[in-house]
Amino acid sequence: MYIPPFNKFENQQEAIAFMQRYSFATIVTVKDGLPVATHLPFLVEEKDGIATLRSHFAKANPQAAESIDTKVLVIFTEPHAYISPKHYEKVESVPTWNYLAVHAYGKFKLLEGEEHKAALLKATIRNFEAEYLKQWESLPDKYKQNMMKGIVAFEIVVDDLQAKAKLSQNRSETERENIIGELGRSENTSEKDVATYMASLGTKP
């Protein structure tokens, strides 16, 4: 990902926090020279400075088998906003787009066996809807086993993390305040989030 120096996340913790917040991401692989992508929810964890991503494919998805032992890319991106030149102090200005994105690269590894699949599903439920866990555990074992037969669980140990926050860092303080003010008043959640990131990250994300 192209990242100008002033748009780079310098802190890995901030990049990981972003992935955890916007955890519905896109996994990209290459098959016979053709990019292939699937949209999945991810569990994002960090231990001893190493980030790990876990999720599962539908077994019927051919990308699952094609990904085994390959280098993959997972793209996390969510809040974005159109930036009008009306916020700038000079007439000679053009529109742009503000956004945040994290690209995580790593080797795809299967989590084989019912025990690993069950642990992944429980962790996923706890992360996205903890209240459902009691209901899940009360379901018949045969039903849960059949469900697990239909998925391919995996993990990715991240070995390259590229994070970008394009938040008008190259604009003047007045221009940034103009943008934050308008986006912050918007009814669009994505635009509000961009305003919040702009205000909290300042000129150096």
Side-chain angles (χ1 to χ4, degrees):
M1 175 166 55
Y2 169 63
I3 309 177
F6 55 83
N7 290 143
K8 185 177 182 180
F9 270 97
E10 298 291 349
N11 188 323
Q12 179 171 300
Q13 295 300 320
E14 292 179 348
I16 290 173
F18 179 86
M19 292 190 291
Q20 291 171 333
R21 180 177 181 182
Y22 301 103
S23 56
F24 190 72
T26 305
I27 181 170
V28 182
T29 58
V30 177
K31 172 68 172 178
D32 298 328
L34 180 68
V36 181
T38 297
H39 309 278
L40 299 172
F42 281 85
L43 295 177
V44 181
E45 300 168 338
E46 183 197 22
K47 185 177 181 180
D48 299 328
I50 298 175
T52 302
L53 314 179
R54 289 189 294 160
S55 189
H56 65 272
F57 280 111
K59 190 173 183 179
N61 186 339
Q63 191 180 9
E66 295 164 1
S67 301
I68 298 173
D69 293 331
T70 67
K71 187 76 169 280
V72 302
L73 163 64
V74 183
I75 299 174
F76 296 82
T77 183
E78 189 77 20
H80 57 86
Y82 170 81
I83 307 300
S84 169
K86 69 183 180 182
H87 301 300
Y88 301 151
E89 297 173 288
K90 294 182 179 180
V91 175
E92 295 87 355
S93 299
V94 295
T96 190
W97 216 274
N98 277 5
Y99 64 92
L100 299 95
V102 175
H103 288 193
Y105 294 85
K107 190 173 183 179
F108 183 99
K109 178 185 176 182
L110 285 181
L111 295 175
E112 301 183 82
E114 186 176 300
E115 181 179 349
H116 284 107
K117 289 184 179 180
L120 173 63
L121 292 180
K122 284 186 178 181
T124 302
I125 292 169
R126 288 193 188 97
N127 188 69
F128 293 103
E129 188 184 7
E131 295 81 3
Y132 174 69
L133 185 58
K134 184 176 181 179
Q135 180 178 332
W136 167 256
E137 293 182 331
S138 70
L139 297 174
D141 288 340
K142 184 177 181 180
Y143 174 82
K144 290 186 287 187
Q145 290 166 0
N146 286 336
M147 292 296 293
M148 287 188 283
K149 288 178 181 178
I151 68 171
V152 175
F154 66 89
E155 72 173 8
I156 301 163
V157 176
V158 178
D159 56 32
D160 185 9
L161 194 62
Q162 302 176 10
K164 181 177 183 177
K166 183 177 178 296
L167 299 173
S168 300
Q169 292 97 324
N170 59 328
R171 310 306 306 192
S172 71
E173 182 176 351
T174 297
E175 291 170 333
R176 286 173 53 80
E177 289 177 352
N178 292 341
I179 296 168
I180 292 171
E182 175 158 308
L183 297 184
R185 292 189 296 270
S186 173
E187 296 182 358
N188 183 294
T189 301
S190 183
E191 293 180 349
K192 281 182 174 293
D193 285 349
V194 170
T196 299
Y197 271 107
M198 289 183 67
S200 64
L201 298 180
T203 58
K204 185 178 180 180

